[in-house]
Amino acid sequence: MQDYSNKTSTTSNKPLAIELSDVSVSFGKFCALKNVSFSINKGDFLYIVGPNGSGKTTLIKLMVGVIEPTLGKVHINSDNLGYLPQKFNYSHQFPVTVREVIYSGCKKQRIIATKKSKALIKTWLKKMEIEHLSENSMANLSGGEQQRVFLIRALINKPNLLIMDEPTSALDPKFRRHFNEIINRLSKEGVTIIYVTHDLHDRVDDNAKIMYVDQTVRFFGNFNDYAARSRGEDNV
Amino acid sequence: MTMQQEVEVKIMFDFFTEQFMQYALYLGLALAVAAAFLSPYLVLSHQAMIADGIAHISFTGISIGLLLSSQALYFAIPFAIIASIAITILTEKANMQNDASISVVSAFALAIGLIIVTVGDGFNRSIESLLVGSILTVSTSEVQLAIILMVITIVFVLAFYRPLLAMTYDPEYAKFSGVKTSLLKYSLAALTAVFVVIGVKTVGILLISAYTIFPALISNQLVKSFKLTLVGGVVIAIFTIFIGITLSYHLNLPTGSTIVVVYTILLIGAYLLRRILRRN
């Protein structure tokens, strides 16, 4: 996709949630991202799309602070960030229960979880329809069930900025709809959401912004413009 | 329990009234408990061989210590800590696999140690005891040192229980959550190094890594949660030390080796038990 838009920010009076200025990321000689600049405001919903290997996950890792930019600045205006990574770096033989994983997302953690935390975890497990799995080992869960556990871990602190990297990839269609309802509700409550996906067909919010990334920002705008330009490119 | 059974039990454990056996027991328990607290973090983050690598490294540290002083530990402990940090740096910064980093540093250190032993005179006896250890001839100060190490390890693990778990399970999410993963990794490596150096003197280079590997491995066969893996490992370690020392005394076997054999039997037993439980 060609450069279609130089405007890489949303326009509203709301305060900034995220701002990236001329950000580049290199791993040795390989340049994963080059001169990325964009900003979104609090309460915005942004979908990030792009082909495989385009730097979407690198961009997400930059925003959550797992990697540092080689050049440029990343400004995150949130004291309560939720993160749902694409791949989970855990061993399948690791002895850890659902409850232990979710508790690792809680802000204040103790050796023995408090009653309040236990009750909160129970509520979320119920909401995600996996209450019966609370004491199960993560190793015995299906991919979709694990994804729900990691989603609870991301949401349990009630984040005001939620960053998700292909969150529905392991979910079945039924739970995908349920998941999208939850995300839609959060968006309506004012949570800023960044959502990496390959599939915009089941997008949650029609007013969401779309950002097409391929090493740099190639498009930033609304869905109708994005769809029109994608069709135009297909015709060419 | 009948009178005769009571007498038999008393005879079986009567040897613990002797001071050298008490010291061996205290030291064995202190080291085993310290190792059991480190075990899940090392084994589950694929660093099971780090204790083995540091044991080879400590051979050089103790050799240098013996060459320069009567207090080898004063040289060996900082030497092993530096080497363990070097392993962590190689893994983190030089993009090397953990097992490769351990092999590089331990092979180099062992080579230097062997050169020192060859060049130096009068080493043979001390070096042999380094290989197999001498738990029955430990001094009061060595027991005290092991107990201090155990207390430090327990305090460290309990104080950082959740961050250590997060770092071991999902390092990227731990970093996102604000866990100082590098600092924790270096601290864990340094603590493991101190454990190994103190352990080598008493249990031997060849067997010390068994103390850190077996507890989590055995426990992991039987439980689902991380907490129970840790607690179970400690219980298994204490049980193994008691049985290992008792058997080695009555059967006149080397103590360190007997402890490792008991650990291995327990691992096989736990594996079989898990299979039976799964089938049912």
Side-chain angles (χ1 to χ4, degrees), chain B residues 113-124:
Chain B
L114 290 170
I115 290 170
I116 292 169
V117 170
T118 310
V119 173
D121 288 329
F123 265 122
N124 292 346

Side-chain angles (χ1 to χ4, degrees), chain A residues 83 95-96 100 110-111, chain B residues 162 172 175 224 226-227:
Chain A
Y83 173 41
V96 66
E100 283 179 315
R110 298 179 180 177
I111 294 177
Chain B
R162 294 285 173 188
E172 186 183 293
K175 204 173 173 189
K224 291 181 199 168
F226 187 83
K227 189 167 67 186

